[in-house]
């Protein structure tokens, strides 16, 4: 039998942290007397980031006094008191390696069910002033867990905790936490945990994704690993004008050998030594047949585009550019169902590569080719697309000219009769993709069937951080330049030098206002995983599970050499 030692609550507040404002409810303090526990929360309590905390599946956070004793010794801390780990219930007698997902407990007037381990986010490290904490909670197998409220009622410190039911398969919180975050997973346990109905839907989906991946993990498929490291020279063999503003450039290996086949939809990062100092980098989608043994990129001349202008004015057959291996996960998936290839303007390039792949395979899939452009003069690849569509037995071609027909909208999409079983690939301006995603969803396509490619930097994911509005453009960090190796954030078009004043590449990127993605900031969650285009890194804090080859967790790494990142 366990014991409820303390009930802790706290409402969200803005907290200043590392030049950021974080909206968080992780500061909890004990309350005296009875407290009512409700389906979504405890009276007087709240969470700042409802995407990762709170809600029905995570109504009550639980942590143990035994773990407090462990951390006091491990960290050499004498200041840890109930609520310090952001928990609502500080308890005794229910260790993580004995409590199981699906266990039910009676405490006071209420009944609870264990739904998942703690979410490992950076805020627990912020609260304890110990950045390693999310990593340590997992590696030391002491995460704590969440309760779902089965029946509401009052609880108070001193109440007994009585187990009323054991969870299906008796899988402990510690084992389930390790199954998500640590390597060498037991596939038998993976199959068991998705058979536990009490497990929260988010964790259920993560484990299903692991079972669906070739490696039995949440990592990207091995086929997406870049074909070579760093940059290699490629020679221009042909240049072709596709429209007044779009030019295609054919590239081949200097020794004329066949280049590795990209996945249909991937992009090529090129470095142009003659266009500036340092040599600027840009990424362009591959627009040709993936099986051709050579590459084709198609470049739209932008009014203030340094690289695009240089290429349009200077590149010719015999020119040499430096290219990193094709990369990107906006790729045509295998399958036999209907497929929609939808683009606007220069967004045509990756979906054109997909159309080439379908034509080369002689696909019998139902295919909708939908493209919008200003008018016939701006329409690139018109003859090429028409020929490819004609070669496919079940393909339909629709081109919309915004100058005369207006923008593509929901009624026009609905009139096409696209089935809900279709998989859609979208590329174009951000607003276009948002509108088309909404139109396809309104027509019955599930969100997971709609894929999109975004040129430039990916949107940031910074849970709990109160964002600046408008967001600053990427820039060199304040203060004196660093003396370490140069780091290029390729998607952001910025090169800066490394300084050991930063604890990680993530911290440098933040100082430059480069859009970043993170949650744990300590090598656990892999949300910050970033492609390494060129160069080497070293981990300042070892991640619990290394990411795929050719990538790095920037929250835990520093550069060893000159570095180019897909960020």
């Amino acid at each position: 039998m366990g014991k409820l030692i303390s009930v802790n609550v706290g409402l969200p507040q803005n907290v200043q942290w590392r030049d950021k404002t974080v909206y968080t409810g992780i500061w909890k303090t004990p309350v005296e007397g009875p407290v009512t526990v409700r389906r979504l929360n405890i009276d007087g309590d709240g969470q700042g980031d409802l995407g990762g905390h709170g809600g029905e599946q995570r109504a009550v956070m639980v942590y143990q006094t035994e773990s407090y004793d462990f951390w006091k010794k491990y960290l050499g801390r004498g200041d840890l008191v109930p609520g310090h780990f952001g928990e609502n219930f500080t308890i005794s007698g229910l260790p993580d390696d004995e409590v199981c997902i699906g266990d039910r407990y009676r405490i006071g007037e209420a009944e609870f069910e264990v739904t998942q381990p703690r979410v490992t986010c950076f805020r627990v490290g912020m609260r304890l002033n110990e950045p390693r904490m999310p990593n340590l909670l997992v590696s030391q197998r002491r995460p704590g867990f969440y309760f779902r409220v089965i029946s509401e009622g009052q609880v108070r410190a001193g109440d007994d905790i009585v187990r009323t039911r054991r969870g299906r398969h008796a899988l402990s919180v510690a084992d389930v936490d390790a199954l998500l975050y640590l390597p060498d997973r037991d596939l038998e346990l993976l199959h068991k945990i998705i058979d536990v109905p009490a497990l929260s839907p988010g964790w259920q989906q993560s484990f299903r994704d692991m079972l669906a991946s070739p490696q039995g993990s949440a990592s990207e498929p091995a086929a997406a690993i870049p074909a070579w490291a760093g940059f290699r020279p490629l020679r221009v063999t042909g240049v072709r004008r596709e429209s007044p503003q779009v030019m295609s450039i054919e590239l081949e290996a200097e020794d004329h050998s066949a280049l590795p086949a990209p996945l249909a939809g991937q992009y090529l990062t090129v470095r142009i030594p003659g266009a500036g100092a340092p040599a600027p980098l840009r990424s362009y989608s591959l627009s040709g047949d993936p099986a051709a043994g050579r590459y084709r990129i198609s470049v739209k001349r932008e009014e203030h585009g340094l690289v695009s202008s240089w290429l349009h004015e200077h590149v010719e057959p015999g020119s040499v550019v430096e290219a990193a291996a094709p990369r990107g996960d906006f790729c045509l998936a295998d399958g036999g169902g209907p497929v929609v290839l939808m683009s606007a303007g220069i967004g045509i390039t990756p979906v054109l590569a997909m159309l080439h792949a379908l034509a080369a395979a002689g696909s019998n899939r139902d295919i909708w080719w939908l493209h919008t452009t200003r008018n016939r003069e701006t329409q690139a690849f018109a003859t090429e697309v028409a020929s490819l569509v004609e070669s496919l037995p079940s393909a339909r071609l629709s081109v919309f000219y915004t100058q005369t027909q207006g923008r593509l909208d929901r009624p026009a999409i609905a009139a096409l009769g696209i089935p809900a079983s279709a998989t859609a690939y979208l590329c174009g301006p951000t607003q276009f993709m948002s509108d088309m995603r909404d139109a396809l969803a309104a027509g019955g396509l599930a969100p997971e069937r709609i894929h999109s490619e975004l040129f430039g930097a990916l949107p940031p994911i910074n849970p709990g951080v109160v964002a600046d509005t408008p967001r600053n453009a990427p820039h060199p960090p304040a203060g004196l330049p660093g003396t370490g190796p140069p780091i290029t954030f390729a998607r952001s078009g910025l090169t800066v030098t490394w300084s050991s004043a930063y604890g990680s590449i993530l911290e440098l990127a933040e100082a430059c206002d480069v859009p970043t993605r993170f949650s744990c900031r300590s090598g656990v969650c892999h949300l910050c995983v970033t492609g390494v285009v060129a160069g080497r890194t070293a981990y300042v804090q070892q991640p619990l599970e290394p990411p795929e080859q050719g990538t790095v967790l920037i929250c835990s790494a520093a550069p060893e050499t000159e570095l180019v990142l897909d960020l």
Side-chain angles (χ1 to χ4, degrees), residues 17-228:
W17 177 76
R18 293 187 178 180
D19 298 323
K20 298 178 179 63
T21 300
V22 180
Y23 185 63
T24 177
I26 198 168
W27 266 260
K28 311 289 187 189
T29 55
V31 293
E32 300 292 334
V35 183
T36 300
V37 178
R38 306 187 190 277
R39 184 176 66 87
L40 296 179
N41 227 322
I42 300 175
D43 283 358
D45 192 54
Q47 297 83 26
D49 172 25
L50 293 176
H53 306 274
E56 182 177 357
Q57 300 295 325
R58 299 175 296 236
V60 179
M61 176 64 208
V62 182
Y63 209 52
Q64 305 93 342
T65 56
E66 291 85 353
S67 287
Y68 269 90
D69 293 339
F70 173 85
W71 294 120
K72 287 175 183 177
K73 183 177 180 180
Y74 186 96
L75 300 173
R77 298 275 294 263
D79 60 333
L80 302 180
V81 296
H84 226 124
F85 284 81
E87 79 276 10
N88 300 113
F89 288 175
T90 311
I91 64 171
S92 67
L94 275 72
D96 288 331
D97 58 359
E98 294 182 11
V99 172
C100 297
I101 304 298
D103 282 0
R104 289 192 178 185
Y105 295 92
R106 170 69 63 178
I107 308 175
E109 299 175 352
E111 187 175 14
F112 304 88
E113 183 175 64
V114 179
T115 58
Q116 66 173 72
R118 172 199 296 269
V119 175
T120 55
C121 80
F122 74 98
R123 280 155 290 199
V124 67
M126 180 179 78
R127 175 67 180 92
L128 274 74
N129 195 29
E130 175 50 77
R132 301 175 299 156
M133 207 65 228
N135 184 303
L136 293 174
L137 288 169
V138 178
S139 63
Q140 300 300 315
R141 298 175 67 86
R142 294 179 178 273
F145 54 88
Y146 284 104
F147 274 149
R148 178 167 72 94
V149 179
I150 300 297
S151 59
E152 299 178 348
Q154 288 190 338
V155 300
R156 65 191 304 161
D159 283 344
D160 289 332
I161 304 175
V162 180
R163 192 175 74 207
T164 59
R165 192 175 78 177
R166 187 53 125 179
R168 183 181 295 180
H169 300 310
L171 298 175
S172 76
V173 166
D175 285 344
V176 173
D177 194 56
L179 203 56
L180 185 66
Y181 293 122
L182 297 180
D184 303 322
R185 294 173 177 85
D186 185 327
L187 288 179
E188 183 179 350
L189 288 186
L190 274 175
H191 284 285
K192 283 184 176 180
I193 191 58
I194 64 171
D195 187 46
V196 179
L199 184 67
S200 66
W203 283 57
Q204 281 270 3
Q205 188 59 51
S206 294
F207 290 131
R208 292 185 189 278
D209 290 344
M210 287 180 181
L211 287 170
S213 73
Q215 294 83 20
S217 73
S219 303
E220 63 182 288
I225 295 174
W228 68 82

